[in-house]
């Protein structure tokens, strides 16, 4: 009864498999399905399409940057973000989602009322306000090593796919990936420098476990089984005067794929990503601007012109 009193005081919900708000995806765990979930925040978010973003606690600047970029792409496509509220990649993923006002879910290795690490108290409280914080453990339970490994199966099961942005060969993140593979969750990993020990785990997932190599938002949305063209206004099919559908020229597609899903990119970098000359890129971008697919923006910090996708509101 003390557990229920604590939960009531904190505005916590106790979910069981028979509850209408129970996330059915957890049932994919079979015999390892949790008996209950203690939830701070909005329980229904646990059933929304989501992406697990996990990785090293001691992530590098590269890991932080790519985590923020890909997390932002997933949020822009309407996905929630699931992670473990730890240092490093987890924290970057949660904070990115909060920054763009997208739902995010923290799965804790202790009680849902017990922030861990303690320095993430404010972050976890913010997640509870705008998203959900959950645990299968009763309030007050302290996290332990085996409980971190135990909770990883919940992160995997709650998500449509799992993205590992940076991880060493001994990272606990690989445990989450293993749980995901067991229940059929698509797995993606971001490559890094071959000299970086922080990316060795990602390379192993790609090499030995068949993880999809993820380098941009389009590839991530493919992993999630989402049509990125429809979500981001990349309307690659045009209707001619006879009512027939004609696909846009391939150079248009290459330019659109070379643009980031959020923010903009300089002409020279667009050309490099698309594999064409700057003159070809300039001409194609002008055509796409007339068609309403892209727009020019001025970088206020440097005064340079950036090209960006036009979003359909």
């Amino acid at each position: 009864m003390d557990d229920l009193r604590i939960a009531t005081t904190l505005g916590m919900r106790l979910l069981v498999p028979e509850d209408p708000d129970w996330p059915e995806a957890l049932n994919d765990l079979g015999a390892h399905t949790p008996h209950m979930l203690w939830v701070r925040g909005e329980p229904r978010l646990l059933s929304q399409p989501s992406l697990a973003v996990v990785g090293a606690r001691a992530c590098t600047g590269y890991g932080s940057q790519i985590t923020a970029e890909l997390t932002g792409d997933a949020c822009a496509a309407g996905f929630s973000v699931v992670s473990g509220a730890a240092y490093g990649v987890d924290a970057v993923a949660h904070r990115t989602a909060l920054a763009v006002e997208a739902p995010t879910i923290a799965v804790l290795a202790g009680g849902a009322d017990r922030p861990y690490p303690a320095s993430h108290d404010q972050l976890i409280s913010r997640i509870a306000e705008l998203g959900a914080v959950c645990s299968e453990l009763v309030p007050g339970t302290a996290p332990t090593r085996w409980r971190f490994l135990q909770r990883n199966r919940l992160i995997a099961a709650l998500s449509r796919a799992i993205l590992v942005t940076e991880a060493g060969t001994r990272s606990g993140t690989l445990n989450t990936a293993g749980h995901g593979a067991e229940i059929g969750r698509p797995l993606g990993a971001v490559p890094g420098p071959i000299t970086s020990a922080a990316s060795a785990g990602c390379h192993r997932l790609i090499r030995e476990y068949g993880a999809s190599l993820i380098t941009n938002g389009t590839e991530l949305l493919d992993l999630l089984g989402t049509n990125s063209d429809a979500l981001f206004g990349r309307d690659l099919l045009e209707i001619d005067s006879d009512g027939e559908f004609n696909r846009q020229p391939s150079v248009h597609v290459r330019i659109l794929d070379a643009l980031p899903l959020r923010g903009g990119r300089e002409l020279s970098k667009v050309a490099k990503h698309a594999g064409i000359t700057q003159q070809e890129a300039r001409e194609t971008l002008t055509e796409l601007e007339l068609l309403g697919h892209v727009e020019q923006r001025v970088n206020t910090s440097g005064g340079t012109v950036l090209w960006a996708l036009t979003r359909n509101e």
Side-chain angles (χ1 to χ4, degrees):
M1 294 300 293
D2 288 341
D3 297 334
L4 291 175
R5 276 196 290 270
I6 293 173
T8 301
T9 301
L10 294 175
M12 212 180 282
R13 277 278 305 278
L14 175 61
L15 300 183
V16 295
E18 295 75 23
D19 194 292
D21 288 332
W22 177 261
E24 295 292 332
L26 288 180
N27 297 335
D28 291 345
L29 292 169
H32 300 292
T33 300
H35 297 296
M36 62 186 70
L37 278 183
W38 302 81
V39 183
R40 293 169 59 193
E42 178 50 68
R44 286 174 292 184
L45 290 178
L46 303 179
S47 298
Q48 290 189 1
S50 59
L51 170 70
V53 181
V54 293
R57 286 174 170 80
C59 65
T60 66
Y62 165 80
S64 295
Q65 178 181 347
I66 199 65
T67 298
E69 182 175 328
L70 292 175
T71 298
D73 292 340
C75 292
F79 288 90
S80 301
V81 173
V82 181
S83 199
Y87 292 120
V89 167
D90 288 17
V92 172
H94 287 307
R95 289 191 172 109
T96 300
L98 291 172
V100 298
E101 299 182 349
T104 186
I105 299 161
V107 185
L108 303 188
D113 65 324
R114 187 163 180 162
Y116 187 89
S119 60
H120 281 179
D121 184 12
Q122 290 187 350
L123 172 61
I124 293 172
S125 295
R126 187 67 173 158
I127 294 171
E129 290 175 9
L130 300 178
V133 175
C134 65
S135 173
E136 64 182 314
L137 302 169
V138 298
T141 302
T144 62
R145 178 175 173 77
W146 71 266
R147 285 172 180 157
F148 280 105
L149 297 175
Q150 182 185 39
R151 70 90 188 266
N152 287 344
R153 78 191 197 287
L154 304 185
I155 293 176
L158 285 171
S159 309
R160 178 178 290 187
I162 300 166
L163 176 67
V164 182
T165 55
E166 193 174 49
T169 54
R170 296 181 179 274
S171 173
T173 297
L174 304 189
N175 177 259
T176 305
H179 283 300
E182 287 181 358
I183 58 176
R185 298 294 188 265
L187 177 62
V190 176
I194 60 174
T195 55
S196 174
S199 290
C202 292
H203 299 157
R204 183 183 176 193
L205 289 174
I206 295 168
R207 182 178 64 252
E208 299 179 14
Y209 297 94
S212 297
L213 189 151
I214 305 298
T215 64
N216 56 48
T218 300
E219 293 169 354
L220 176 58
L221 295 183
D222 286 342
L223 179 76
L224 288 161
T226 299
N227 185 334
S228 60
D229 295 340
L231 283 168
F232 291 98
R234 301 183 182 185
D235 192 6
L236 303 182
L237 293 176
E238 301 286 348
I239 303 177
D240 63 19
S241 58
D242 297 324
E244 297 294 328
F245 284 98
N246 292 316
R247 187 165 293 277
Q248 288 186 6
S250 59
V251 67
H252 284 192
V253 178
R254 290 166 66 180
I255 287 290
L256 291 170
D257 285 340
L259 292 171
L261 298 179
R262 298 183 66 83
R265 186 164 282 161
E266 295 179 15
L267 173 65
S268 60
K269 294 181 179 179
V270 173
K272 182 178 179 179
H273 280 74
I276 59 179
T277 67
Q278 288 194 38
Q279 180 61 31
E280 291 173 321
R282 183 181 294 106
E283 293 173 354
T284 305
L285 283 165
T286 301
E287 294 172 1
L288 290 170
E289 185 178 26
L290 293 173
L291 291 170
H293 295 309
V294 302
E295 61 186 13
Q296 296 185 55
R297 300 176 185 173
V298 178
N299 184 349
T300 55
S301 60
T304 56
V305 175
L306 304 178
W307 288 92
L309 294 170
T310 301
R311 295 186 177 276
N312 294 334
E313 300 297 339

